Amino acid sequence: MTALTPRMGHRLRWTFADGLTLVGRELGRLRQEPGEIVAVLIFPAIMVVLFGYVFGSAIQVPGGGDYREYLMPGLFSMVTFTALMGVMARVATDASRGVMDRFRSMPMARLAVPFGQTGADLLTGLLSLAVMVGAGLLVGWQPHRGLIPTTEAFLLMTVLRYALSWVGVYVGLVVKNDQVVDQLVPLFLPFTMLSNSFVPTDGMPGWLRFLADWNPVSAITTASRELFGNPGVTSGDVAWPLAHPVAAVLLWSAALLVVFVPLSVRTYKRRGR
């Protein structure tokens, strides 16, 4: 066991170094594709204006309050879930163009490729979230409970985003076709809408409300509203994820990591055989 420890430590350092190199590659690719950077910067602002001003006048906040303050945690959650679609598309594109095969032929740690993809998405996701926070502040949203609860809310989003990015890695490796992924992306969008992000779930039919209340999007949205002190916090007889949203988000994140990290790594290795 003692003889294996230095070797394992060397492998971990090797994987970490190669993973950072691939994070740099993904960020460098963004510089070569300014359209994607513009989308990362403009999309959050468009969503704030579209939902906050176009739909906001027609929606009543449960218990009263400003709809834009009710809305912003939902939009933060929506941006969090773009990790799945973004990573899925990039991994499938690399696989279809033979980039993954070139990586496998190089003297680099096999684990570095999926770790590099998820690490790069985490950085771009933070940028997108920062832009949306700025847009939210401009339209009147603000956190009310202080620095620590606000930081906890954004940390929860970051943890869930990282877990979701591993789902994207696995799906991208399995599909391995960027055109098919483009067709799958619209199927994931209703998942973010079937929640309490934009409207209360009280008026939904029973079966639909059940799905919405147990949707992880609803859990992260409710947790964010509580931690920010924004209107729309649920109370009374509600589903367990909405009564304990922080615990629900952590459990969802842990479950996704436990399932999809090994699946993604094993699928990547098998593709090289």
Side-chain angles (χ1 to χ4, degrees):
M1 192 72 178
T2 306
L4 290 176
T5 302
R7 186 177 180 182
M8 292 174 61
H10 175 70
R11 286 183 176 179
L12 288 175
R13 288 193 297 269
W14 183 29
T15 300
F16 182 73
D18 288 344
L20 287 179
T21 300
L22 290 174
V23 169
R25 170 195 174 258
E26 292 299 321
L27 297 179
R29 185 166 68 174
L30 284 177
R31 290 197 299 269
Q32 298 171 4
E33 299 176 2
E36 190 170 343
I37 297 179
V38 171
V40 168
L41 297 178
I42 298 299
F43 177 74
I46 292 176
M47 297 302 293
V48 172
V49 173
L50 177 63
F51 285 96
Y53 289 99
V54 177
F55 299 152
S57 59
I59 300 175
Q60 297 296 321
V61 178
D66 182 67
Y67 178 72
R68 285 187 288 277
E69 288 219 332
Y70 173 86
L71 169 71
M72 288 310 301
L75 290 181
F76 293 151
S77 303
M78 190 173 185
V79 169
T80 298
F81 271 74
T82 59
L84 193 157
M85 295 173 283
V87 174
M88 179 176 65
R90 288 192 293 272
V91 170
T93 299
D94 282 349
S96 64
R97 295 178 180 177
V99 176
M100 291 291 184
D101 294 331
R102 288 199 294 272
F103 283 153
R104 294 187 187 96
S105 67
M106 297 171 65
M108 63 188 305
R110 292 293 179 91
L111 300 181
V113 174
F115 277 103
Q117 290 281 359
T118 54
D121 175 79
L122 195 60
L123 294 178
T124 56
L126 289 174
L127 174 61
S128 181
L129 185 61
V131 172
M132 183 163 278
V133 168
L137 292 172
L138 288 175
V139 301
W141 168 82
Q142 59 179 317
H144 299 284
R145 293 190 56 196
L147 178 62
I148 293 179
T150 300
T151 303
E152 290 175 350
F154 288 122
L155 284 176
L156 276 178
M157 297 176 203
T158 303
V159 170
L160 184 58
R161 182 182 184 97
Y162 186 70
L164 287 165
S165 68
W166 280 98
V167 182
V169 169
Y170 176 70
V171 176
L173 288 171
V174 171
V175 174
K176 208 169 59 170
N177 187 312
D178 53 338
Q179 295 180 351
V180 175
V181 165
D182 289 339
Q183 297 172 356
L184 288 176
V185 166
L187 300 179
F188 287 99
L189 290 177
F191 188 77
T192 62
M193 305 294 291
L194 182 58
S195 67
N196 62 1
S197 297
F198 308 112
V199 295
T201 62
D202 298 348
M204 297 180 181
W207 65 271
L208 194 62
R209 181 180 180 181
F210 174 83
L211 295 176
D213 288 347
W214 283 85
N215 187 339
V217 180
S218 294
I220 186 63
T221 301
T222 303
S224 300
R225 286 178 181 143
E226 286 188 1
L227 292 169
F228 290 142
N230 292 150
V233 177
T234 54
S235 59
D237 186 18
V238 296
W240 186 88
L242 303 187
H244 308 86
V246 174
V249 172
L250 293 175
L251 286 173
W252 271 112
S253 302
L256 291 173
L257 288 171
V258 167
V259 172
F260 285 98
V261 170
L263 277 177
S264 300
V265 172
R266 185 170 59 186
T267 302
Y268 177 75
K269 289 181 176 180
R270 285 182 175 178
R271 294 297 184 195
R273 294 177 182 174

